[in-house]
């Protein structure tokens, strides 16, 4: 009986770990898809504005805003979260909160820019 419980527990552990690996690889694939068809210049401009404290504005160029809005809010959040998983940000939660706030501002600005250009 104890042997059966040990095997059951081991099977559940293997299934759980396998599921976690699959979910992580799907998340990585989705993040990589978010980067497709988006110029590296715009990705760099967006992430620089969000992560570097010396920029007081979250404004990016109109073309980058249009590309960002075409990609969607989920893609923006995935790209930001990818970088926020760095151990540095786990120790600096106030900075991470500031980046989340900037992300919201950037998204709001870009949706206005994209709507005006449409």
């Amino acid at each position: 009986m104890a042997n059966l419980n040990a095997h059951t527990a081991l099977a559940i552990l293997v299934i759980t770990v396998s599921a976690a690996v699959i979910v992580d690889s799907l998340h990585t694939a989705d993040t990589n898809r978010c980067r497709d068809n988006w110029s590296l210049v715009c990705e760099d401009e967006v992430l620089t504005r969000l992560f570097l404290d010396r920029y007081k504005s979250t404004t990016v160029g109109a073309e980058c805003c249009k590309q960002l809005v075409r990609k969607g809010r989920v893609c923006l959040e995935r790209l930001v979260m990818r970088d926020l998983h760095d151990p540095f940000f786990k120790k600096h939660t106030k900075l991470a909160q500031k980046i989340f706030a900037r992300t919201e501002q950037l998204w709001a600005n870009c949706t206005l820019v994209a709507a005006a250009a449409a």
Side-chain angles (χ1 to χ4, degrees):
M1 184 73 162
N3 210 8
L4 180 61
N5 287 340
H7 284 98
T8 302
L10 182 60
I12 291 171
L13 178 63
V14 167
I15 291 169
T16 304
V17 169
S18 298
V21 168
I22 290 169
V23 167
D24 186 52
S25 66
L26 289 174
H27 180 71
T28 301
D30 287 342
T31 301
N32 288 339
R33 265 196 300 277
C34 286
R35 296 180 74 195
D36 291 345
N37 302 319
W38 195 25
S39 76
L40 290 177
V41 172
C42 286
E43 181 180 350
D44 184 55
E45 183 178 351
V46 166
L47 293 177
T48 299
R49 289 290 176 167
L50 294 176
F51 281 84
L52 292 184
D53 204 30
R54 69 175 177 227
Y55 294 106
K56 301 301 178 200
S57 169
T58 56
T59 304
V60 296
E63 184 56 37
C64 289
C65 273
K66 289 187 268 183
Q67 286 184 33
L68 181 63
V69 170
R70 275 194 304 269
K71 284 295 178 184
R73 185 181 190 130
V74 171
C75 280
L76 173 63
E77 290 170 355
R78 283 187 178 141
L79 290 170
V80 170
M81 288 305 297
R82 175 200 65 192
D83 291 344
L84 285 178
H85 276 99
D86 187 283
F88 172 82
F89 292 106
K90 293 186 190 314
K91 295 177 184 174
H92 297 89
T93 56
K94 286 186 181 180
L95 182 56
Q97 291 170 349
K98 190 183 285 190
I99 291 167
F100 283 127
R102 288 180 184 163
T103 302
E104 293 295 320
Q105 290 172 340
L106 177 71
W107 180 254
N109 292 343
C110 283
T111 55
L112 292 174
V113 168

